Amino acid sequence: MQIRIQRDTGAWQLQVWASFAVAVFLCAVGLAYLPGKELDRAFMVMGYLFCLTAAFVLSKSIRDAENARRQGHVVDTPLFKYVVWSAFALAMGLTAWGLMRMEINETYKAYLGVSWLYLITCTFTLAKTLRDKHEADLADAAVAANSERS
């Protein structure tokens, strides 16, 4: 019996990493040239980083919970998923609030908002791609171990 392990193509992986790099670059440029007060810039940098890390944690938490459900295990403490979702919602909400209250040109706000949402989207895609690669590597190792035993 032949076991087929599905992997992402190299082109897909390149596109995911390139998109993430472009998103980080666009956000960095937008924040570096942010007009206004230094405190606003610091708040937005912290907000973007908070959103970025919260998106990675949320992605991992969802995937771990799904894997555990499939295997019949409980992976998290009962309130952990609420903490993770709350942190993500808080990060997104506070960053949006900070962006909306800044006294800058509306076009600049739109640029920052779109680049920020693009960063979050690319973060989820990158997290999924990395996790898929890890799971395919584990499956390859299991197949290799089984074939050595046979």
Side-chain angles (χ1 to χ4, degrees), residues 3-145:
I3 297 175
R4 182 166 187 247
I5 299 170
Q6 185 172 344
R7 288 188 173 271
D8 292 330
T9 64
W12 170 254
Q13 291 178 21
L14 176 66
Q15 190 250 330
V16 168
W17 278 103
S19 294
F20 184 74
V22 166
V24 169
F25 175 76
L26 291 173
C27 288
V29 167
L31 293 173
Y33 294 103
L34 180 65
K37 303 172 191 159
E38 291 296 318
L39 185 60
D40 286 341
R41 182 179 293 125
F43 178 86
M44 291 309 295
V45 168
M46 288 188 311
Y48 277 39
L49 289 175
F50 187 19
C51 288
L52 184 66
T53 57
F56 274 118
V57 171
L58 179 60
S59 178
K60 182 179 180 347
S61 173
I62 291 170
R63 191 77 172 255
D64 286 349
E66 180 59 32
N67 287 344
R69 242 188 317 272
R70 269 191 259 133
Q71 297 171 358
H73 297 91
V74 176
V75 73
D76 295 326
T77 56
L79 291 179
F80 184 70
K81 71 179 177 180
Y82 299 111
V83 170
V84 171
W85 275 102
S86 297
F88 180 72
L90 187 64
M92 296 295 285
L94 286 175
T95 303
W97 171 77
L99 182 60
M100 297 310 293
R101 72 157 197 79
M102 281 195 297
E103 296 174 7
I104 58 173
N105 183 310
E106 293 298 318
T107 304
Y108 207 87
K109 280 184 188 181
Y111 172 85
L112 287 174
V114 169
S115 63
W116 166 53
L117 294 176
Y118 179 51
L119 176 66
I120 297 304
T121 302
C122 290
T123 301
F124 281 118
T125 306
L126 178 60
K128 182 185 181 326
T129 301
L130 292 173
R131 187 66 180 261
D132 288 347
K133 181 181 182 322
H134 175 71
E135 288 178 355
D137 290 345
L138 290 177
D140 277 344
V143 167

